[in-house]
Amino acid sequence: MTMTPIAIPKRTQSARLENWSRAFYRFRQSWLSIVGLAIVVLLVVIAIFAPWIVPYPEHVVGGTNTGARFQPPSANAWFGTNALGQDMFSLVLVGSQVSLFSGLAVVFIAIVVGTAVGAIAGYFGGWVDEVLMRITDLLLTIPSLILAMAVAAALGTGVWNMIIAISITWWPAYARLVRGEVIVKKEEQFVVAAHALGANWLRILGKHILPNIVSPIVIKASLDMGFAILTVASLGFVGIGVKPPTPEWGTLLSGARSYMPDYWWTAVAPGIAIFLAVLAFNLLGDGLRDVLDPKARR
Amino acid sequence: MALLDIKNLNLAMRSYEGETQILHGIDLKIERGEIWGMVGETGSGKSLTGLSVSRLIASPPGRYLAGSIEFQGRDVLKATDKEMRMLRGRHIGMIFQDPTTNLNPAFRIGTQLVDVALHAGHADPSVLGLGAGASRGDFKKAAKRVAVEMLEKVGIPKAADRIDDYPHQFSGGMRQRVLIAMAMIGKPDLLIADEPTTALDVSVQAQILRLIHDLVAERNIGVLLITHNLGIVAQICSHVAVMFRGRILEAGKVNDVLKRPSHSYTQALLNSVPTVHTKRGELMGLSGAMRETSA
Amino acid sequence: MLLYILRRLVLLVPILLGLTLLLFIVARILPGDPVGLAAGPNATPELIAQMKREFGLDQPLPLQYWNYLTGLVSGDWGMSVFTRRPVFADILEYLPATIELVFASLFIAVVVGIPLGLLTAVYKNGPLDYATRTVALGGIAMPRFFLGLLLQMAFAAWLDILPLSGRYPLIESPPDHVTGLYTIDALIAGDWSAFQIALSHLALPAIAMALSPLATIMRMMRSSTIEVLQQDYVMTERALGLSNRLILFKYVLKNAMTSTLTVIGLYVSWLLGGTVLVETVFDWPGLGLYATQAILTQDFMPVIGVTLVIAIIYLVAMLVVDLLYGVFNPKVRYA
Ligand SMILES: Nc1ncnc2c1ncn2[C@@H]1O[C@H](COP(=O)(O)OP(=O)(O)OP(=O)(O)O)[C@@H](O)[C@H]1O
Ligand SMILES: [Mg+2]
């Protein structure tokens, strides 16, 4: 019965770096996540440079060309032209700006508000928790799309009004998520220790608890980006949202509705754009979940 | 013709690392009325041998490289899926280790018993005491009756009432009794029990073993009892097979093998069983050296 | 069990109170001038003041809320400035169309999604699995309104086998009103051709709404089935000779349903909210279309009414899910 001494493997990399490379390996394992990431990167690049790369920049600021109405897709206008003779390709490319920006803003605001509410409710418990969570629950029972539409309509057109309206319906989900995580983390040794050492609650929350619950928030946020974009487009589709000359995918699609099916290309281009953007963020989110939360893998 | 005759069974399993051969030429012959104990260290291939008899190893990952498993003269490895299904439950009963996970939690135990009884009854109506021309209703009624009888037989009090209970309403020992009832309800000729008492309390273990022993004696069937416990083998088995790394090192009557082990591994295994005579500090583990030499 | 249901129903009361208060506050804080919009650009101040009085908008807020609340209970849900009809009557008129649409799409999603999830779990990594998973990925990302447009293009315009929009041909009268669901009413009346007409109108919007929940249910079902198939009791059932069909569609299905059930419940709310999009595409005369019109004209009483109805349906659906949960998981006890 011999005991071989256990050789402790030499560390060639820091543990952190090793974690990252392993995480990246897991991400690469699924080619769908890579596809998602690629489309997202492409979208961001397009959104940033759209005004300079589109073939008909004058069309995206309201310029029309009534002589070339309803041209089918061709070498001149890849996605055809609409009722005003505007180039659909240019409109769709620039449309990515509103979608990406408002999607990002909605998720960001929802995270900030939701994290604040959830962290306070979870940390203090008691009646604070009760009140905050009852409000959260109430908001969760309301059909979010209808509420967002109503608020956006009341606030009037404009990107920011739309963003605020959607955010109102989105933060409760984050509040629930963060509250649950905070309650778990609150009981852990290092937090109890920090408390005993007299750290104040803001410090404990900000320094010790919140940094430890970044993963679930990031996972949810990346999955939510796609659905935020979808909601923005939905509002545009029913006629609430940005002001007309600014191209927006949902609005473009709704405008195309009256000319179906003869001028189908006016609907297909913005529709596919929405579809691709949502799909890409979903794939990316799935991939990130595999990386950050391997346990949740199917 | 033996009840079960395993000849030169070679099985390879595929896993992430690739295919490895697990069973290296298993030979085992079981006759009616014999209770075979199968012992061996963990990972030696006992469970896979037992599952092979009912051909329950999917391929992939499993692949039979050579050999045959003749059950009542027919090679199960060459049987069709339909023929296999007719064997399972009706001619070969199986019991597994953990009674808490082997009953379906979402169904009443009666439902599960009746379905097995119905299956066995369709293979052979006489199991339910029916003739060939019995109607659907007859089958259902008979299956329910047989289920209650079987539960009584395995010692569930008030069986007629408890048949409508869910598994979580039974204790571990009671659940294993229910599983034994399920395995025996089709009146099988061979029972394969894979560590049926390992997950149970010591006091319950003895009751369950006695139950198996009595049922076997009453029906004169063959048994393959897989276990880690040589004490159990000594108590209720008539024969024993010692497995090591996918091979059967020695096999035969319990008295012969346990009294006069011809193999050093068996000797070591016996030494590792504490008896009243074992002094403190004498209990031996199996050393690495022993494993190397006996492989 | 009955006691449990009763208690849950009683617990709904404070939730609904909170909900009405919340909705009321939201509606009043918001800027917007429904009366001004409804009265038109040429309205005199007198006319506007008179209309405000007519709708009770000149009273102090707490009183307005109290009036609203007592009204709710007695079936007076306020007036729609736009339709100039009681909101409650409007809702009663539009609700059956929405219920029919939501039920139809939920039905499609469940009846197709659950077996597909089971089968793809069994034939994991086979061609069927890859094909359905790819379609499912797309299905979840597909905007309902865009899918609706595509379906209209394909089946109504090009193939010309299904109607483009609407719920029933305008020139014909729908089957006698019993439930308000045309397909069901037609069946009750035994009118086969009316049933076919109603169904042909229902098909496209229901499919447009069903795709995403179908895909989610399928994915959920697939992963929970894969988990259940690895359970010990499945091995026991196989070892004792039960047929694959019996094991899969009886023993595995019930166990795999529990987690899928929650998803189905959540989709009730999603579907109801989504009617604002799909009903717009298909001119489906339901709550969604009604709410959209109301929202666009900043006519808030109907919006509050619709929201309240949807919230109630959602809360009841969650209760049903909880009860069903007990059916699938006998360990759940209602105390
Ligand atoms: N599904 C599988 N895929 C790949 N390898 C497997 C599989 N099942 C078992 N094995 C391997 O086959 C070998 C024998 O397994 P088996 O379960 O028969 O052992 P055992 O003797 O029953 O052990 P124990 O006493 O722990 O139950 C083990 O080394 C195991 O790793
Ligand atoms: Mg084993």
Side-chain angles (χ1 to χ4, degrees), chain B residues 51 54-58 85 88-90 92-94 96 98 101-107 111-113 115-116 119 166 168-169 179 182-183, chain C residues 228 231-244 246-247 249-256 258 326-333:
Chain B
L51 290 173
S54 283
R55 218 177 68 197
L56 286 168
I57 300 167
R85 229 167 57 66
R88 293 179 195 145
R90 168 65 190 92
I92 305 175
M94 293 193 90
F96 297 99
D98 189 351
T101 58
N102 276 294
L103 279 168
N104 194 320
F107 289 85
T111 312
Q112 308 185 40
L113 276 164
D115 272 343
V116 176
H119 160 68
Y166 287 94
H168 71 269
Q169 292 165 295
L179 280 161
M182 260 169 84
Chain C
V228 173
Q231 299 296 313
D232 288 345
Y233 53 79
V234 175
M235 178 59 106
T236 303
E237 283 153 8
R238 286 212 306 132
L240 294 180
L242 301 190
S243 70
N244 285 336
L246 187 71
I247 293 177
F249 289 110
K250 179 172 178 180
Y251 286 104
V252 172
L253 175 65
K254 194 173 172 191
N255 280 281
T258 39
V327 172
F328 289 104
N329 183 358
K331 280 187 212 169
V332 175
R333 281 279 149 265

Coordinates of all heavy atoms in Angstrom, one line a residue, chain B residues 51 54-58 85 88-90 92-94 96 98 101-107 111-113 115-116 119 166 168-169 179 182-183, chain C residues 228 231-244 246-247 249-256 258 326-333:
Chain B
L51 N -27.2 -6.2 -17.0 CA -28.1 -5.5 -18.0 C -28.0 -6.2 -19.4 O -29.0 -6.2 -20.1 CB -27.6 -4.1 -18.2 CG -27.9 -3.2 -17.0 CD1 -27.2 -1.8 -17.2 CD2 -29.3 -3.0 -16.8
S54 N -30.7 -8.8 -20.3 CA -32.0 -8.3 -20.8 C -31.8 -7.4 -22.0 O -32.7 -6.7 -22.5 CB -32.8 -7.5 -19.8 OG -33.4 -8.4 -18.9
R55 N -30.5 -7.4 -22.5 CA -30.1 -6.5 -23.6 C -30.6 -5.1 -23.4 O -31.3 -4.5 -24.2 CB -30.6 -7.1 -24.9 CG -29.5 -6.8 -26.0 CD -29.9 -7.4 -27.3 NE -31.0 -6.7 -27.9 CZ -31.7 -7.2 -28.9 NH1 -31.4 -8.4 -29.4 NH2 -32.7 -6.5 -29.5
L56 N -30.2 -4.5 -22.2 CA -30.7 -3.2 -21.9 C -29.6 -2.1 -22.1 O -29.7 -1.0 -21.8 CB -31.1 -3.1 -20.5 CG -32.5 -3.8 -20.2 CD1 -32.7 -4.0 -18.7 CD2 -33.6 -3.0 -20.8
I57 N -28.5 -2.6 -22.7 CA -27.4 -1.6 -23.0 C -27.6 -1.1 -24.5 O -27.5 -1.9 -25.4 CB -26.0 -2.2 -22.8 CG1 -25.9 -2.7 -21.4 CG2 -24.9 -1.2 -23.1 CD1 -24.7 -3.6 -21.1
A58 N -27.8 0.1 -24.6 CA -28.0 0.7 -25.9 C -26.7 0.7 -26.7 O -25.7 0.7 -26.2 CB -28.6 2.1 -25.9
R85 N -38.7 -7.9 -25.9 CA -39.7 -7.3 -25.0 C -40.6 -8.3 -24.4 O -41.0 -8.2 -23.2 CB -40.6 -6.3 -25.8 CG -40.7 -5.0 -25.1 CD -41.2 -3.9 -26.0 NE -42.5 -4.1 -26.6 CZ -43.7 -4.2 -25.9 NH1 -43.7 -4.2 -24.6 NH2 -44.8 -4.4 -26.6
R88 N -38.6 -9.6 -21.4 CA -38.5 -8.7 -20.2 C -39.8 -8.7 -19.5 O -40.9 -8.6 -20.1 CB -38.2 -7.3 -20.7 CG -36.8 -7.2 -21.3 CD -36.6 -5.7 -21.8 NE -35.5 -5.7 -22.7 CZ -35.4 -4.8 -23.7 NH1 -36.4 -4.0 -24.0 NH2 -34.3 -4.8 -24.4
G89 N -39.7 -8.7 -18.2 CA -41.0 -8.6 -17.4 C -41.7 -9.9 -17.3 O -42.2 -10.3 -16.2
R90 N -41.7 -10.7 -18.4 CA -42.4 -12.0 -18.3 C -41.4 -13.1 -17.9 O -41.7 -13.9 -17.0 CB -43.0 -12.3 -19.7 CG -43.5 -13.7 -19.9 CD -44.7 -14.0 -18.9 NE -45.0 -15.5 -18.9 CZ -44.4 -16.4 -18.1 NH1 -43.6 -16.0 -17.2 NH2 -44.8 -17.6 -18.2
I92 N -37.8 -12.6 -17.6 CA -36.7 -12.1 -16.9 C -37.2 -10.8 -16.1 O -37.6 -9.9 -16.6 CB -35.5 -11.6 -17.8 CG1 -35.1 -12.7 -18.7 CG2 -34.3 -11.1 -17.0 CD1 -34.1 -12.4 -19.7
G93 N -37.1 -10.9 -14.7 CA -37.4 -9.8 -13.9 C -36.1 -9.1 -13.4 O -35.1 -9.8 -13.3
M94 N -36.2 -7.8 -13.2 CA -35.0 -7.1 -12.7 C -35.4 -6.2 -11.6 O -36.4 -5.6 -11.5 CB -34.4 -6.3 -13.8 CG -33.9 -7.1 -15.0 SD -32.8 -6.2 -16.1 CE -31.2 -6.3 -15.3
F96 N -33.4 -3.1 -9.2 CA -32.2 -2.3 -9.2 C -31.9 -1.7 -7.8 O -32.7 -1.9 -6.8 CB -32.2 -1.1 -10.2 CG -32.3 -1.6 -11.6 CD1 -33.5 -1.7 -12.2 CD2 -31.2 -2.0 -12.2 CE1 -33.6 -2.1 -13.5 CE2 -31.3 -2.5 -13.5 CZ -32.5 -2.5 -14.2
D98 N -31.6 1.4 -6.1 CA -32.1 2.5 -5.3 C -33.6 2.6 -5.4 O -34.2 3.0 -6.4 CB -31.5 3.8 -5.7 CG -31.8 4.9 -4.7 OD1 -32.7 4.7 -3.9 OD2 -31.3 6.0 -4.9
T101 N -35.4 5.9 -6.5 CA -35.4 6.5 -7.8 C -35.9 5.5 -8.9 O -36.0 5.9 -10.0 CB -33.9 6.9 -8.2 OG1 -33.1 5.7 -8.1 CG2 -33.4 8.0 -7.3
N102 N -36.2 4.3 -8.5 CA -36.6 3.3 -9.5 C -38.1 3.2 -9.7 O -38.6 2.5 -10.5 CB -36.0 2.0 -9.2 CG -34.6 1.9 -9.8 OD1 -34.4 1.9 -11.0 ND2 -33.6 1.9 -8.9
L103 N -38.9 3.8 -8.8 CA -40.3 3.9 -9.0 C -40.6 5.3 -9.6 O -40.0 6.3 -9.2 CB -41.1 3.8 -7.7 CG -41.2 2.3 -7.2 CD1 -41.7 2.3 -5.7 CD2 -42.2 1.6 -8.1
N104 N -41.5 5.3 -10.5 CA -41.9 6.6 -11.2 C -42.7 7.4 -10.2 O -43.8 7.0 -9.8 CB -42.7 6.3 -12.4 CG -42.9 7.5 -13.3 OD1 -43.0 8.6 -12.8 ND2 -42.7 7.3 -14.6
P105 N -42.2 8.6 -9.8 CA -42.8 9.4 -8.8 C -44.2 10.0 -9.2 O -44.9 10.3 -8.3 CB -41.8 10.5 -8.5 CG -41.1 10.7 -9.8 CD -41.0 9.3 -10.4
A106 N -44.5 10.0 -10.4 CA -45.7 10.7 -10.9 C -46.9 9.8 -11.0 O -48.0 10.2 -11.3 CB -45.5 11.4 -12.2
F107 N -46.7 8.5 -10.7 CA -47.8 7.5 -10.9 C -48.0 6.7 -9.7 O -47.1 6.4 -8.9 CB -47.5 6.6 -12.1 CG -47.6 7.3 -13.4 CD1 -46.5 8.0 -13.9 CD2 -48.7 7.3 -14.2 CE1 -46.5 8.6 -15.1 CE2 -48.8 7.9 -15.4 CZ -47.7 8.6 -15.9
T111 N -50.8 1.7 -10.7 CA -50.7 1.9 -12.2 C -49.5 1.2 -12.7 O -49.5 0.5 -13.8 CB -50.6 3.4 -12.5 OG1 -51.6 4.1 -11.7 CG2 -50.8 3.7 -13.9
Q112 N -48.4 1.4 -12.0 CA -47.1 0.8 -12.5 C -47.1 -0.7 -12.5 O -46.7 -1.4 -13.4 CB -45.9 1.4 -11.7 CG -46.0 2.9 -11.7 CD -44.8 3.5 -11.0 OE1 -43.6 3.1 -11.2 NE2 -45.0 4.6 -10.2
L113 N -47.7 -1.2 -11.4 CA -47.8 -2.7 -11.3 C -48.7 -3.3 -12.3 O -48.4 -4.3 -13.0 CB -48.3 -3.1 -9.9 CG -47.3 -3.1 -8.8 CD1 -48.0 -3.1 -7.4 CD2 -46.5 -4.4 -8.9
D115 N -49.5 -2.1 -15.2 CA -49.0 -2.0 -16.6 C -48.0 -3.2 -16.8 O -48.0 -3.7 -17.9 CB -48.3 -0.7 -16.8 CG -49.3 0.4 -17.4 OD1 -50.4 0.0 -17.8 OD2 -49.0 1.6 -17.3
V116 N -47.2 -3.4 -15.8 CA -46.2 -4.6 -16.0 C -47.0 -5.9 -16.1 O -46.7 -6.7 -16.9 CB -45.2 -4.6 -14.8 CG1 -44.3 -5.8 -15.0 CG2 -44.4 -3.3 -14.8
H119 N -48.6 -6.2 -19.4 CA -47.5 -6.6 -20.4 C -47.2 -8.1 -20.4 O -47.3 -8.8 -21.4 CB -46.3 -5.8 -20.2 CG -45.1 -6.4 -20.8 ND1 -44.9 -6.4 -22.2 CD2 -44.0 -7.0 -20.3 CE1 -43.8 -7.1 -22.5 NE2 -43.2 -7.4 -21.3
Y166 N -49.0 6.9 -3.9 CA -47.8 7.3 -4.8 C -46.6 6.8 -4.1 O -46.5 6.7 -2.8 CB -47.8 8.8 -5.0 CG -48.9 9.2 -6.0 CD1 -50.1 9.7 -5.5 CD2 -48.7 9.2 -7.3 CE1 -51.1 10.1 -6.4 CE2 -49.6 9.6 -8.2 CZ -50.8 10.1 -7.7 OH -51.8 10.5 -8.6
H168 N -43.9 8.3 -3.1 CA -43.4 9.0 -2.0 C -44.1 8.8 -0.7 O -43.7 9.2 0.4 CB -43.4 10.5 -2.3 CG -44.8 11.1 -2.3 ND1 -45.5 11.2 -3.5 CD2 -45.5 11.7 -1.3 CE1 -46.7 11.8 -3.2 NE2 -46.7 12.1 -1.9
Q169 N -45.2 8.1 -0.8 CA -46.0 7.8 0.5 C -45.5 6.5 1.1 O -46.0 6.0 2.1 CB -47.5 7.7 0.2 CG -48.0 9.0 -0.2 CD -49.4 8.9 -0.9 OE1 -49.6 8.4 -1.9 NE2 -50.4 9.5 -0.2
L179 N -41.0 -2.7 -5.7 CA -40.2 -3.0 -6.9 C -40.0 -4.5 -7.1 O -40.0 -5.0 -8.2 CB -38.8 -2.3 -6.8 CG -39.0 -0.8 -7.2 CD1 -37.8 0.0 -6.7 CD2 -39.1 -0.7 -8.7
M182 N -43.1 -5.7 -8.6 CA -43.1 -5.4 -10.0 C -42.3 -6.4 -10.8 O -42.7 -6.8 -11.9 CB -42.6 -4.0 -10.2 CG -43.7 -3.0 -10.5 SD -43.1 -1.3 -10.4 CE -42.5 -1.1 -12.1
A183 N -41.1 -6.7 -10.3 CA -40.2 -7.6 -11.0 C -40.8 -9.1 -11.0 O -40.5 -9.8 -12.0 CB -38.8 -7.7 -10.3
Chain C
V228 N -35.5 13.4 -18.0 CA -36.3 12.3 -17.4 C -35.9 11.0 -18.0 O -35.9 10.0 -17.3 CB -37.8 12.6 -17.7 CG1 -38.7 11.4 -17.3 CG2 -38.3 13.8 -17.0
Q231 N -33.5 9.0 -16.0 CA -33.9 8.6 -14.6 C -33.9 7.1 -14.5 O -34.2 6.4 -15.4 CB -35.3 9.2 -14.2 CG -35.4 10.7 -14.3 CD -34.5 11.3 -13.2 OE1 -34.5 10.9 -12.1 NE2 -33.7 12.3 -13.6
D232 N -33.6 6.6 -13.3 CA -33.6 5.2 -13.0 C -34.9 4.5 -13.4 O -34.9 3.4 -13.9 CB -33.3 4.9 -11.5 CG -31.8 5.3 -11.2 OD1 -31.1 5.4 -12.2 OD2 -31.5 5.4 -10.1
Y233 N -36.0 5.2 -13.0 CA -37.3 4.5 -13.2 C -37.6 4.2 -14.7 O -38.3 3.2 -15.0 CB -38.5 5.2 -12.5 CG -38.6 6.7 -12.9 CD1 -39.2 7.0 -14.1 CD2 -38.2 7.7 -12.1 CE1 -39.4 8.4 -14.4 CE2 -38.4 9.0 -12.4 CZ -39.0 9.4 -13.6 OH -39.1 10.7 -13.9
V234 N -37.0 4.9 -15.6 CA -37.2 4.6 -17.0 C -36.5 3.3 -17.3 O -37.1 2.5 -18.1 CB -36.7 5.8 -17.9 CG1 -36.8 5.4 -19.3 CG2 -37.5 7.0 -17.6
M235 N -35.3 3.1 -16.7 CA -34.6 1.9 -16.9 C -35.5 0.7 -16.4 O -35.6 -0.3 -17.0 CB -33.3 1.9 -16.3 CG -32.5 0.7 -16.4 SD -32.2 0.1 -18.1 CE -30.4 0.6 -18.3
T236 N -36.0 0.9 -15.2 CA -36.9 -0.2 -14.6 C -38.0 -0.5 -15.5 O -38.3 -1.7 -15.8 CB -37.4 0.3 -13.3 OG1 -36.3 0.6 -12.4 CG2 -38.2 -0.8 -12.6
E237 N -38.7 0.6 -16.0 CA -39.8 0.3 -16.9 C -39.4 -0.4 -18.2 O -40.1 -1.3 -18.6 CB -40.5 1.7 -17.3 CG -41.3 2.2 -16.1 CD -41.5 3.7 -16.1 OE1 -41.0 4.4 -17.1 OE2 -42.0 4.3 -15.1
R238 N -38.3 -0.1 -18.7 CA -37.8 -0.8 -19.9 C -37.4 -2.2 -19.5 O -37.7 -3.2 -20.3 CB -36.6 -0.1 -20.5 CG -36.9 1.2 -21.2 CD -36.0 1.5 -22.4 NE -34.6 1.5 -22.0 CZ -33.6 0.8 -22.7 NH1 -34.0 0.1 -23.8 NH2 -32.4 0.9 -22.3
A239 N -36.8 -2.4 -18.4 CA -36.3 -3.7 -18.0 C -37.5 -4.7 -17.8 O -37.4 -5.9 -17.9 CB -35.5 -3.6 -16.7
L240 N -38.7 -4.1 -17.4 CA -39.8 -5.0 -17.2 C -40.7 -5.0 -18.4 O -41.8 -5.5 -18.3 CB -40.6 -4.5 -16.0 CG -39.8 -4.6 -14.7 CD1 -40.5 -4.1 -13.5 CD2 -39.3 -6.1 -14.5
G241 N -40.2 -4.6 -19.5 CA -40.8 -4.9 -20.8 C -41.9 -3.9 -21.3 O -42.5 -4.2 -22.3
L242 N -42.1 -2.8 -20.6 CA -43.1 -1.9 -21.1 C -42.7 -1.3 -22.5 O -41.5 -1.1 -22.7 CB -43.3 -0.7 -20.1 CG -43.8 -1.2 -18.7 CD1 -44.2 0.1 -17.9 CD2 -44.9 -2.1 -18.8
S243 N -43.7 -1.1 -23.4 CA -43.3 -0.7 -24.7 C -42.8 0.7 -24.7 O -43.1 1.5 -23.8 CB -44.5 -0.8 -25.6 OG -45.4 0.2 -25.3
N244 N -41.9 1.1 -25.6 CA -41.4 2.4 -25.7 C -42.5 3.5 -25.8 O -42.3 4.5 -25.2 CB -40.5 2.5 -27.0 CG -39.2 1.8 -26.8 OD1 -38.7 1.6 -25.6 ND2 -38.6 1.4 -27.8
L246 N -45.5 3.3 -24.6 CA -46.2 3.5 -23.3 C -45.2 4.3 -22.3 O -45.6 5.2 -21.6 CB -46.5 2.1 -22.7 CG -47.3 2.2 -21.4 CD1 -48.7 2.6 -21.7 CD2 -47.3 0.8 -20.7
I247 N -44.0 3.9 -22.4 CA -43.0 4.6 -21.5 C -42.9 6.1 -21.8 O -43.0 7.0 -21.0 CB -41.6 4.0 -21.6 CG1 -41.6 2.5 -21.1 CG2 -40.6 4.8 -20.9 CD1 -40.3 1.8 -21.2
F249 N -45.0 8.1 -23.9 CA -46.2 9.0 -23.9 C -47.0 8.9 -22.6 O -47.9 9.7 -22.4 CB -47.1 8.6 -25.1 CG -46.5 9.1 -26.4 CD1 -46.0 8.2 -27.3 CD2 -46.3 10.4 -26.6 CE1 -45.4 8.6 -28.5 CE2 -45.7 10.9 -27.8 CZ -45.3 9.9 -28.7
K250 N -46.7 8.0 -21.7 CA -47.4 7.9 -20.4 C -46.4 8.3 -19.3 O -46.6 9.3 -18.7 CB -48.0 6.5 -20.2 CG -48.7 6.4 -18.9 CD -49.4 5.1 -18.8 CE -50.2 4.9 -17.5 NZ -50.9 3.6 -17.5
Y251 N -45.4 7.5 -19.1 CA -44.6 7.6 -17.9 C -43.6 8.8 -18.0 O -43.4 9.5 -17.1 CB -43.8 6.3 -17.7 CG -44.8 5.3 -17.1 CD1 -45.2 4.2 -17.9 CD2 -45.2 5.3 -15.8 CE1 -46.1 3.3 -17.4 CE2 -46.1 4.4 -15.3 CZ -46.5 3.4 -16.1 OH -47.4 2.4 -15.6
V252 N -43.0 9.0 -19.2 CA -42.0 10.1 -19.3 C -42.8 11.4 -19.5 O -42.4 12.4 -18.8 CB -41.1 9.8 -20.5 CG1 -40.2 11.0 -20.7 CG2 -40.2 8.6 -20.2
L253 N -43.8 11.4 -20.3 CA -44.5 12.6 -20.6 C -44.9 13.4 -19.3 O -44.7 14.6 -19.2 CB -45.7 12.3 -21.5 CG -46.6 13.5 -21.8 CD1 -45.9 14.5 -22.6 CD2 -47.9 13.0 -22.5
K254 N -45.6 12.6 -18.4 CA -46.1 13.3 -17.3 C -45.0 13.9 -16.4 O -45.2 15.0 -15.9 CB -46.9 12.2 -16.4 CG -47.8 12.9 -15.4 CD -48.7 11.9 -14.7 CE -49.4 12.5 -13.6 NZ -50.1 11.5 -12.7
N255 N -43.9 13.2 -16.3 CA -42.8 13.8 -15.5 C -42.2 15.0 -16.2 O -41.8 15.9 -15.5 CB -41.7 12.7 -15.3 CG -42.1 11.7 -14.2 OD1 -42.0 12.1 -13.0 ND2 -42.6 10.6 -14.6
A256 N -42.1 14.9 -17.5 CA -41.4 16.0 -18.2 C -42.4 17.3 -18.3 O -41.9 18.4 -18.5 CB -41.0 15.6 -19.6
T258 N -44.0 18.9 -16.0 CA -44.0 19.9 -14.9 C -43.3 21.2 -15.2 O -43.9 22.2 -15.0 CB -43.4 19.3 -13.6 OG1 -42.3 18.5 -13.9 CG2 -44.5 18.4 -12.9
G326 N -50.1 20.2 -9.6 CA -50.4 19.1 -8.6 C -50.8 17.8 -9.3 O -50.6 16.8 -8.8
V327 N -51.5 18.0 -10.5 CA -51.9 16.8 -11.2 C -50.6 16.0 -11.7 O -50.6 14.8 -11.6 CB -52.8 17.1 -12.4 CG1 -53.0 15.9 -13.3 CG2 -54.1 17.7 -11.9
F328 N -49.7 16.8 -12.2 CA -48.5 16.2 -12.7 C -47.5 15.8 -11.7 O -46.7 14.9 -11.9 CB -47.8 17.1 -13.7 CG -48.6 17.2 -15.0 CD1 -49.3 18.4 -15.3 CD2 -48.6 16.2 -15.9 CE1 -50.1 18.5 -16.4 CE2 -49.4 16.3 -17.1 CZ -50.1 17.5 -17.3
N329 N -47.5 16.4 -10.6 CA -46.5 16.1 -9.5 C -47.3 15.8 -8.2 O -47.6 16.7 -7.5 CB -45.6 17.3 -9.3 CG -44.5 17.0 -8.3 OD1 -44.5 15.9 -7.7 ND2 -43.6 17.9 -8.1
P330 N -47.5 14.5 -7.9 CA -48.4 14.2 -6.8 C -47.8 14.6 -5.5 O -48.5 14.6 -4.5 CB -48.5 12.6 -6.9 CG -47.4 12.2 -7.8 CD -47.1 13.4 -8.7
K331 N -46.5 15.0 -5.4 CA -46.0 15.4 -4.1 C -46.5 16.7 -3.7 O -46.4 17.1 -2.5 CB -44.5 15.4 -4.2 CG -43.8 14.0 -4.1 CD -42.3 14.1 -4.0 CE -41.7 12.9 -4.7 NZ -40.3 13.1 -4.9
V332 N -47.0 17.5 -4.6 CA -47.6 18.8 -4.3 C -48.9 18.6 -3.6 O -49.8 17.9 -4.0 CB -47.8 19.6 -5.6 CG1 -48.5 20.9 -5.2 CG2 -46.5 19.9 -6.3
R333 N -49.0 19.2 -2.4 CA -50.2 19.1 -1.6 C -50.8 20.5 -1.5 O -50.1 21.5 -1.2 CB -50.0 18.5 -0.3 CG -49.8 17.0 -0.3 CD -51.2 16.3 -0.4 NE -51.1 15.0 -1.1 CZ -51.4 14.9 -2.4 NH1 -51.8 16.0 -3.1 NH2 -51.4 13.8 -3.0

